[in-house]
Amino acid sequence: MKQLPGFIKNAVTVSLLAFSAFAANAETLPVAGDFQANHYSGKVTSVDQKNHVVVLTGSEGNEVTVNVPEKAGTLDNLKVGDIVDTTVTHSIAVALDTDIDKAAPTASSTKGSAQATREDPQHEAFRQVNVQLKIKHIDLKKNEVTFEGPKGQQKTVAVENPDIQARLKDLKVNQSVRVTYTDSLKIAVRKS
């Protein structure tokens, strides 16, 4: 059985994916971004109320196990034979703050959800995590950048793309990199 990706992913290691040339007087510049969406539609073949798990079978016979958040309220409304559409999205946006040492590294998160009811058997939830990292070291010979996180932890990232390697000389120690992770889950039910 295939597991759908979890609703909330662990923090992803920051990587310098691709960034455009920037002017020295700019305040915040987009650096990189990524968006993924997974959609699955299937017929409910079992509902485990106690463990908040639903097994769906797709049109080609493939089974998927969905872990439904307890607050979703969806399980009370599900019956074997119902059709469930799930969409899980993950996005990441990375921006470089060209000002030096405006603030210490930080992290914050926001989340929300809309509970399913008998009248509206749809559940939606999201979580957004904002992390501001600080560039602590730039090694032009090894093409590596070391970032410091909100709890003082440091992570060194190897830059392999030659175009980005050429731009490492434009970075400065203590510049901030802002990373925003957004995950969302939508579960819609069509009664059988």
Side-chain angles (χ1 to χ4, degrees):
M1 241 181 264
K2 180 181 176 186
Q3 279 287 103
L4 277 182
F7 166 57
I8 300 171
K9 286 196 166 201
N10 292 330
V12 179
T13 302
V14 171
S15 60
L16 293 173
L17 300 174
F19 66 93
S20 56
F22 54 88
N25 60 356
E27 218 172 274
T28 302
L29 300 160
V31 174
D34 188 26
F35 177 82
Q36 297 175 350
N38 297 304
H39 179 262
Y40 186 81
S41 183
K43 185 182 285 190
V44 175
T45 54
S46 72
V47 179
D48 181 345
Q49 295 276 353
K50 181 180 176 185
N51 295 310
H52 304 283
V53 174
V54 177
V55 177
L56 305 175
T57 302
S59 59
E60 296 177 10
N62 52 327
E63 286 189 342
V64 173
T65 301
V66 181
N67 295 312
V68 180
E70 188 173 347
K71 293 182 180 180
T74 307
L75 292 181
D76 295 336
N77 303 309
L78 283 180
K79 305 281 182 272
V80 171
D82 287 345
I83 303 297
V84 174
D85 292 312
T86 62
T87 304
V88 179
T89 61
H90 307 287
S91 67
I92 181 174
V94 181
L96 175 68
D97 188 341
T98 61
D99 287 341
I100 301 295
D101 200 20
K102 283 175 53 174
T106 61
S108 64
S109 65
T110 304
K111 61 183 176 178
S113 65
Q115 188 173 15
T117 63
R118 292 196 192 291
E119 296 77 36
D120 183 13
Q122 179 170 292
H123 170 72
E124 293 186 57
F126 78 93
R127 179 172 184 212
Q128 187 173 69
V129 177
N130 294 294
V131 180
Q132 181 173 312
L133 305 171
K134 192 166 288 269
I135 297 173
K136 296 311 288 181
H137 182 71
I138 304 160
D139 187 331
L140 296 176
K141 290 182 181 180
K142 292 183 178 179
N143 293 309
E144 294 178 343
V145 179
T146 301
F147 296 98
E148 180 181 73
K151 295 180 180 177
Q153 73 279 27
Q154 293 194 359
K155 175 71 178 177
T156 300
V157 177
V159 178
E160 296 179 9
N161 183 317
D163 293 334
I164 299 171
Q165 289 174 352
R167 296 184 185 134
L168 288 179
K169 67 184 178 333
D170 297 325
L171 297 178
K172 294 180 178 78
V173 170
N174 289 327
Q175 281 180 318
S176 294
V177 175
R178 297 179 189 170
V179 184
T180 301
Y181 306 96
T182 305
D183 293 323
S184 69
L185 169 69
K186 181 176 180 181
I187 301 173
V189 179
R190 291 180 270 147
K191 294 295 181 184
S192 56

